[in-house]
Amino acid sequence: QARADRLQTRSFSPADQSILDRQRQLDRDLRRALGRNQLRLNFQPQVDLKSRNVIGAEALMRWDHPELGPVSPAEFIPLAEETGLIVDLGRWILFEACQQAAAWPSPITVAVNVSPIQFQHVDLAATVANALRSSGLPASRLELEITESSRVTDPGRVHAVMWQLRDLGVRLAIDDFGTGYSSLSYFRDLPFDLVKIDQSFVRDRTSAEDHRLLAAIIELSSKMDKHTIAEGVEDEPTARLLTEMGCTYGQGYYFSRPISGENLCKLLSQPHRQ
Ligand code: C2E
Ligand code: CA
Ligand code: CA
Ligand code: CA
């Protein structure tokens, strides 16, 4: 969108051309990457802030491009959403994540990011049910992280699909909480279990207002009977502050960077998990 605005407000430059060339290449190559083992999932542990036990992990997509090197999901996911490729990509992520998580000790959960586009274009609940069935992962150990998006044209459909997912027994989290437009109405309108506080509220606390805002999000969520997970926890003082504020779970570089499925399995098999 920002790109389109820029193109309209000033003349077309060589820099614009190279952005477009890269996007065209990424779009074309992403389609092939799916079938060529260039895509994989990393997992970032999520901990219970009181006990510091690992209780789950978020699946994060990685793409090693043969010529361009690692491409960030922050770059290729929006592109895949634009072209609709996110539907096939999202299906692959769900199956792959459930498959790997089925080998983890119970009740460790896997959290999977779901694009709003997947709500619009496919029978998401059927895809999720298939992924659970073919992997053998119990529904209670799958959590879906859902982000608000201006691309969603039919909020009524999102609402209906969320109820279908709820009925399957999977857990639902609102991702990047606090950064969207209508976060507060979610509490009234949408069925979910967990509020995921965006890292911008967790990492950049410079004023007393920042502290009070973070505390207010946690308190509001808890009053609405939701658990909270803070992302972007980078140090012990932040972990301690969040615990004191009543936040349930934490995730961030302080506990662990995103790691390979293999390394996560090693971590989970240690007798005293961090
Ligand atoms: P997100 O869902 O908000 O994921 C959190 C991002 O913050 C991840 O970036 C993670 O590596 C990073 N992060 C985690 N802890 C820390 C920390 O302590 N400090 C800092 N500075 N960063 C931290 P990543 O892996 O680059 O993913 C970027 C975004 O791409 C994700 O943001 C998510 O929106 C999207 N994404 C990634 N994988 C998938 C996927 O499989 N499906 C969909 N639909 N989106 C995905
Ligand atoms: Ca997420
Ligand atoms: Ca976020
Ligand atoms: Ca996100």
Side-chain angles (χ1 to χ4, degrees):
Q1 229 166 357
R3 182 172 27 104
D5 293 346
R6 222 168 41 231
L7 292 181
Q8 273 162 21
T9 52
R10 59 171 177 73
S11 62
F12 197 78
S13 74
D16 295 325
Q17 188 56 50
S18 78
I19 290 171
L20 287 178
D21 285 348
R22 180 174 163 98
Q23 293 199 330
R24 218 168 279 137
Q25 181 184 8
L26 289 181
D27 175 43
R28 190 190 57 218
D29 294 351
L30 189 54
R31 283 168 202 282
R32 297 190 196 133
L34 245 183
R36 291 187 184 173
N37 284 333
Q38 290 170 16
L39 298 174
R40 60 198 163 77
L41 295 179
N42 269 357
F43 297 92
Q44 188 174 34
Q46 303 178 321
V47 305
D48 179 292
L49 282 171
K50 268 201 192 125
S51 69
R52 301 292 172 97
N53 284 330
V54 176
I55 48 86
E58 178 180 8
L60 293 160
M61 184 84 125
R62 294 292 176 264
W63 181 14
D64 295 314
H65 190 286
E67 292 144 33
L68 303 172
V71 185
S72 164
E75 181 175 15
F76 71 79
I77 296 282
L79 198 63
E81 289 179 327
E82 236 167 81
T83 62
L85 188 63
I86 191 69
V87 172
D88 288 340
L89 206 56
R91 193 180 297 118
W92 178 83
I93 296 161
L94 265 169
F95 276 76
E96 180 70 19
C98 289
Q99 199 83 49
Q100 293 203 41
W104 303 347
S106 185
I108 304 286
T109 56
V110 64
V112 177
N113 291 285
V114 178
S115 161
I117 308 293
Q118 291 173 267
F119 278 87
Q120 306 284 334
H121 292 282
V122 279
D123 192 348
L124 184 62
T127 305
V128 170
N130 281 335
L132 290 171
R133 201 178 314 115
S134 74
S135 64
L137 184 75
S140 59
R141 288 176 52 201
L142 175 62
E143 189 173 290
L144 300 178
E145 297 192 358
I146 300 159
T147 354
E148 178 190 38
S149 163
S150 55
R151 290 174 216 264
V152 169
T153 48
D154 184 1
R157 176 160 167 84
V158 173
H159 183 261
V161 175
M162 281 182 79
W163 277 106
Q164 291 171 4
L165 293 167
R166 239 302 161 80
D167 288 343
L168 286 178
V170 304
R171 293 203 295 175
L172 302 176
I174 300 295
D175 205 357
D176 299 337
F177 185 85
T179 60
Y181 300 101
S182 50
S183 301
L184 287 184
S185 66
Y186 289 172
F187 283 110
R188 194 190 53 207
D189 300 335
L190 297 178
F192 61 94
D193 307 282
L194 193 71
V195 169
K196 190 154 192 186
I197 305 166
D198 189 68
Q199 50 184 281
S200 57
F201 298 99
V202 178
R203 288 171 56 208
D204 321 315
R205 303 180 325 276
T206 44
S207 67
E209 282 80 12
D210 293 334
H211 279 256
R212 290 205 296 267
L213 186 55
L214 184 58
I217 295 172
I218 295 166
E219 196 185 326
L220 172 71
S221 304
S222 133
K223 279 196 173 131
M224 302 307 285
D225 290 324
K226 312 295 181 194
H227 286 296
T228 37
I229 178 164
E231 63 178 30
V233 180
E234 291 188 347
D235 50 42
E236 175 59 31
T238 303
R240 203 174 314 127
L241 180 74
L242 286 161
T243 315
E244 281 161 11
M245 287 175 170
C247 186
T248 331
Y249 310 111
Q251 178 183 342
Y253 294 169
Y254 176 60
F255 301 114
S256 171
R257 300 226 162 207
I259 54 178
S260 69
E262 198 184 338
N263 284 338
L264 181 72
C265 283
K266 278 184 204 149
L267 181 76
L268 293 176
S269 65
Q270 286 163 13
H272 294 288
R273 297 200 293 262
Q274 209 281 69

